[in-house]
Amino acid sequence: LEVNIGEEAAKSGFLPGEIFQGAENALNLPHIRVRGLMTIPPADASPEENRRYFDQVWRLFVDINEKMYDNSFEYLSMGMSGDYEEAIRSGATMVRVGTAIFGGRHYT
């Protein structure tokens, strides 16, 4: 489940206050298996702000995992090429580092 941790209008995902309801709803969907949470903090966030966002999502991950999913979550996906170290410090189990590997995108 995606968490819109920065509550940005341009991003999709559950707002932090809605994620528990979304996780609960997903439990009732017979062909859906939630494996964890993912987030992307606001692009203009400082490293300190990123850490705060990542820590908030980690707390949501732990709470939902313990209370609703019987500790079956496997993945906490957060962090990209520019902030993956902070994400790992905050408990990420998966990071997205495509730019670090392939370089920046060139849009035409």
Side-chain angles (χ1 to χ4, degrees), residues 12-13 37 42 51 61 67 87 99 105:
S12 60
L37 301 179
R51 183 68 187 260
F61 175 84
K67 294 175 182 173
T99 300
R105 293 183 183 143

Side-chain angles (χ1 to χ4, degrees), residues 21-51:
Q21 185 64 52
E24 188 172 60
N25 291 345
L27 283 171
N28 297 317
L29 300 172
H31 301 289
I32 300 294
R33 183 172 149 216
V34 176
R35 308 279 302 271
L37 301 179
M38 69 83 60
T39 197
I40 299 172
D44 61 349
S46 69
E48 295 80 24
E49 290 171 316
N50 280 348
R51 183 68 187 260

Side-chain angles (χ1 to χ4, degrees), residues 33-88:
R33 183 172 149 216
V34 176
R35 308 279 302 271
L37 301 179
M38 69 83 60
T39 197
I40 299 172
D44 61 349
S46 69
E48 295 80 24
E49 290 171 316
N50 280 348
R51 183 68 187 260
R52 182 174 49 89
Y53 288 126
F54 293 147
D55 287 346
Q56 289 173 355
V57 176
W58 179 81
R59 284 191 297 277
L60 291 170
F61 175 84
V62 170
D63 286 348
I64 293 170
N65 200 21
E66 289 177 351
K67 294 175 182 173
M68 301 173 79
Y69 281 83
D70 196 29
N71 294 304
S72 64
F73 276 1
E74 299 175 67
Y75 305 110
L76 179 56
S77 176
M78 50 186 196
M80 297 192 304
S81 295
D83 57 11
Y84 73 91
E85 291 172 331
E86 288 301 319
I88 291 169

